[in-house]
Amino acid sequence: MKNERLINDYKAFLDKGKTERECVAQIISLAQAAGFKDISECQSLKAGDKVFVQKMNKAIALFVVGSDSIEKGMNILGAHIDSPRLDVKQNPLYENDFLVYLNTHYYGGIKKYQWVTLPLAIHGIVCKKDGSSVNVCVGESAEDPVFCISDILPHLAQKQMKEVASDFISGESLDLICGSGIPSKKDDENSDKKDKPSAKKAILAIIKEKYGIEEEDFGSAELEIVPAGAARDLGFDRSLILAYGQDDRSCAYTSIRAVLEADSGKRTSCCLCVDKEEIGSVGATGMGSHFFENALAEVIARLPEGYSDLSLRRCLAACNMLSSDVNAAFDPMNSDLFDKANASFLSGGIVFNKYTGSRGKSGASDANPEFIARLRGLLDKANVKYQMAELGKVDQGGGGTIAYLAAKYGMNVLDAGVSVLSMHAPWEITSKEDIEQAYEAYKAFLTLE
């Protein structure tokens, strides 16, 4: 491993950024330390200036202004910072036969059975009617309690074991155990229910004492359930990383680092980190929104030539973009799912996906070969390792990224990211070599003219 500092910083980023809000907070802190300013603080911009624009604390765009006219386009690294998880519902707390649960709704493409019997943590924010808010992070510190979803013991699981994997754990059964009560004695069964202790009330009292949160405050909360624990080295040789959320924070972090360390050149550099990719890039903070073009409009309005819609459109059409998103790593234990000649391998370097989509490239962004050839030449010159791949065999699977939403502007877009084993599982696997090669590739890409 050549860049141990990068790897350690990356693991620390994963540990502190298990939600989109936590990622954006870290990115802003890193950006400000590197000389970036909130665009609201800048009345005008010139070559060399560094600014950021954020949206709802869940999406952010960083810009390093180049010396060329903005109409000549930018070099963009675009990633997403949301990951599959469980979300707490708005009326979540209930008691069922002396156990207290939080009701959840899963987010993104998960295998539901992978989330049971794991130590889980709660991250997020609770917004109160008086305008105040409470940040929540429970389960990460050694002193914290953790939470768990129970499963049936094998002795009683004969029926469950006959069901298909997609069905034997239902979405409505992914509820989090967050406390317990003591069963009443038989003599007390007919006593006044008002006199019986309530485990739910006891949990609410703890929550109110520790956080000042009432039960109705869950209605304006954004609480995410994620695996508890830190990123760890994997294997005797420590060549791999085991961590939650590496899809797509492996690409987001390396893209951010590349832009933070980029020198001002002719073309403006941009790093875009958006939300909601795992559920279709929807909402005000997803790539399907107008966040990116609105952020760019704010930049153009502060440049000497001033804003016009034509300048904005010309800029977008002239951009080059790497959709910094992960690809499925070849799995020797399930090799029949892959076309081995067109698969990506752990430690094989950054992965170029000419197209994504599924079943006849449906929903794909299909990159132009001229653009790919320029990138190949650039990375060969920079001695960066890369591989060409697709996500599984034809008709076997497939997937999508934010690339097609950027391509609608007419820019050059290519998916380029890190290989991931056990993608979308609570704990995902990447190679340290690939993290380093992605970082080097993104740095080289920002010099493209």
Side-chain angles (χ1 to χ4, degrees), residues 1 7 10 238-242 246 250 329 345-349 385 418-421 428-438:
M1 185 174 62
I7 298 301
Y10 167 60
R238 296 179 176 269
S239 61
L240 306 174
I241 299 170
L242 182 70
Q246 297 196 81
S250 58
F345 292 80
L346 290 176
S347 301
K385 187 161 56 174
V418 173
S419 285
V420 176
L421 198 61
E428 299 171 318
I429 300 168
T430 61
S431 162
K432 292 180 179 180
E433 175 70 14
D434 292 338
I435 300 298
E436 293 182 12
Q437 293 300 316

Side-chain angles (χ1 to χ4, degrees), residues 165-317:
S166 60
D167 296 337
F168 69 75
I169 300 292
S170 69
E172 285 292 353
S173 66
L174 292 174
D175 290 354
L176 212 63
I177 296 176
C178 62
S180 68
I182 300 174
S184 302
K185 295 180 181 179
K186 288 185 178 180
D187 294 343
D188 296 333
E189 287 181 357
N190 296 320
S191 63
D192 190 346
K193 290 184 179 181
K194 292 181 180 179
D195 297 330
K196 289 184 178 181
S198 166
K200 176 183 173 180
K201 287 181 179 179
I203 295 300
L204 283 170
I206 292 170
I207 292 172
K208 183 176 181 179
E209 179 182 1
K210 188 170 180 62
Y211 298 105
I213 297 169
E214 304 282 356
E215 183 173 9
E216 56 266 29
D217 291 330
F218 282 109
S220 51
E222 187 172 79
L223 298 173
E224 302 178 11
I225 309 302
V226 299
R232 301 287 296 274
D233 289 347
L234 175 63
F236 286 116
D237 58 0
R238 296 179 176 269
S239 61
L240 306 174
I241 299 170
L242 182 70
Y244 166 70
Q246 297 196 81
D247 174 11
D248 181 38
R249 293 167 190 148
S250 58
C251 298
Y253 180 74
T254 45
S255 296
I256 292 155
R257 277 287 289 264
V259 168
L260 293 181
E261 298 170 13
D263 294 325
S264 176
K266 290 184 178 180
R267 289 173 70 88
T268 293
S269 296
C270 173
C271 180
L272 175 65
C273 293
V274 291
D275 184 20
K276 300 292 189 290
E277 191 275 345
E278 297 294 358
I279 58 171
S281 295
V282 297
T285 52
M287 190 62 188
S289 73
H290 292 289
F291 164 64
F292 175 52
E293 59 186 84
N294 289 346
L296 178 56
E298 293 288 350
V299 171
I300 294 174
R302 289 164 170 79
L303 294 173
E305 52 264 51
Y307 176 81
S308 75
D309 190 64
L310 184 58
S311 292
L312 175 66
R313 299 298 159 192
R314 284 174 174 169
C315 174
L316 288 167

Side-chain angles (χ1 to χ4, degrees), residues 361-374:
K361 301 185 181 180
S362 177
S365 172
D366 203 338
N368 283 345
E370 293 89 345
F371 181 48
I372 299 173
R374 291 173 64 199

